DNA sequence: CGCAAAATCATCCGAAAGGGTGACGACACC
DNA sequence: GGTGTCGTCACCCTTTCGGATGATTTTGCG
């Protein structure tokens, strides 16, 4: 968490320094102060939104209520939302995060895309993947997806 | 979480203070522009964070899920054999061989395993894969499998 | 608070996958 | 015979994956 602030400081400082350095040469002459301010505003607003999104990432409480329902007819219902087999997931020791990444793997995303989607580094995604694969007894992501579907962990 | 915002604010304030302090020594004349930029930056960074917090505020989703227990197999249906959508296959120009390789990919096999299974070289498998991926608009095998299932080409 | 689990990130390295190109033979069709 | 498609295979190159390992941070819980 401190790292974000650090990044912010660095980026901000660099930005300001750059602006200070360049403004007298390129910007101020032909552009107004308002434009300069707008540029800074947009940049910092974007960064702030990113930071806000990042630090409030997913704090979700899942309460699973197991209810036995008689024979759902496949293809009948209104695309009945998929419900992962939490029991099996726990038995395999698969964490929620790992399952989340697994579902993105099943959607055909690359590690990099998953990393971007979840605001984490590619290395983290790889770690989660490796662990999930190990728990599923899979050597490849295609195999992991297949296993996940077989076990009712993925739709 | 408030802590981060606090730290951020402190760092931001420090940044402004530093800027103000330094600018007084070197850029006294144009200091109003610097101050203006810094203020705008801080303001909009704060605004961005606030916005980020706002739009992801209700991340604390309490999900109550009802686990549907799949119907006990009545033993009646003879596991209705899957029939690929030949029409769509032809429309996409996917050959039978490519679909065959694709199904093995979907089973989680590696190219080498597929090559062994089909008594062809690994290069051949890769060629078929590439062509099939191109026709499916997929960049990865996981994506290809997903597309194949969506299009009714794979079970 | 202190501990354990989980999440995050990094680095190294080898293997697998994917893209591109070119080539060759078989086979069908006109 | 010429043409086109399909299957087969090879080479080169880049990207991606996966495994192993270690470290740090965050978080939930007793």
């Amino acid at each position: 968490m401190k790292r974000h602030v650090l990044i912010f400081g660095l980026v901000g400082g660099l930005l300001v320094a750059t602006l200070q350095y360049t403004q007298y040469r390129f910007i101020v002459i032909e552009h107004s102060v308002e434009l300069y301010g707008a540029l800074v505003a947009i940049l910092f607003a974007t960064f702030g939104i990113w930071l806000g999104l990042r630090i409030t990432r997913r704090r979700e409480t899942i309460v699973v209520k197991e209810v036995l329902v008689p024979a759902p007819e496949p293809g009948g219902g209104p695309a009945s939302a998929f419900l992962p087999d939490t029991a099996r997931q726990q038995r395999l020791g698969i964490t929620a995060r790992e399952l989340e990444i697994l579902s993105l793997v099943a959607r055909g995303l690359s590690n990099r895309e998953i990393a971007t989607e979840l605001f984490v580094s590619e290395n983290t995604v790889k770690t989660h993947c490796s662990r999930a694969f190990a728990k599923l007894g899979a050597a490849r992501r295609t195999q992991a997806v297949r296993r996940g579907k077989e076990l009712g962990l993925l739709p």
Side-chain angles (χ1 to χ4, degrees), chain A:
Chain A
M1 213 53 89
K2 294 194 193 75
R3 199 166 45 255
H4 306 147
V5 183
L6 183 62
I7 300 174
F8 168 77
L10 287 176
V11 170
L14 263 169
L15 189 63
V16 171
T18 309
L19 284 174
Q20 278 188 340
Y21 178 74
T22 58
Q23 70 176 5
Y24 298 109
R25 304 163 184 284
F26 311 112
I27 300 180
V28 158
I29 304 177
E30 35 190 345
H31 298 103
S32 64
V33 178
E34 283 75 12
L35 192 58
Y36 165 64
L39 185 64
V40 173
I42 290 174
L43 282 172
F44 273 81
T46 305
F47 183 82
I49 290 176
W50 172 79
L51 190 61
L53 281 172
R54 201 184 156 88
I55 63 183
T56 62
R57 196 177 358 97
R58 178 162 291 95
R59 194 147 328 278
E60 101 180 19
T61 312
I62 301 180
V63 178
V64 177
K65 181 181 179 182
E66 306 216 10
V67 175
L68 300 188
V69 170
E73 191 50 46
S80 61
F82 169 76
L83 299 165
D85 188 342
T86 319
R88 176 142 25 208
Q89 178 190 342
Q90 286 207 345
R91 216 173 321 127
L92 292 174
I94 296 178
T95 69
R97 193 59 157 171
E98 284 161 4
L99 188 57
E100 187 181 7
I101 267 125
L102 208 56
S103 77
L104 294 181
V105 168
R107 295 234 305 267
L109 301 186
S110 71
N111 287 341
R112 183 161 308 183
E113 289 166 341
I114 296 174
T116 304
E117 182 110 348
L118 298 182
F119 297 104
V120 297
S121 85
E122 198 177 332
N123 290 308
T124 303
V125 175
K126 287 175 62 177
T127 303
H128 284 308
C129 273
S130 284
R131 282 208 262 262
F133 293 171
K135 289 167 185 173
L136 285 173
R140 279 166 292 283
R141 41 179 57 211
T142 44
Q143 227 174 50
V145 170
R146 185 176 160 80
R147 288 283 296 155
K149 287 178 188 293
E150 282 175 357
L151 297 175
L153 300 175
L154 297 173

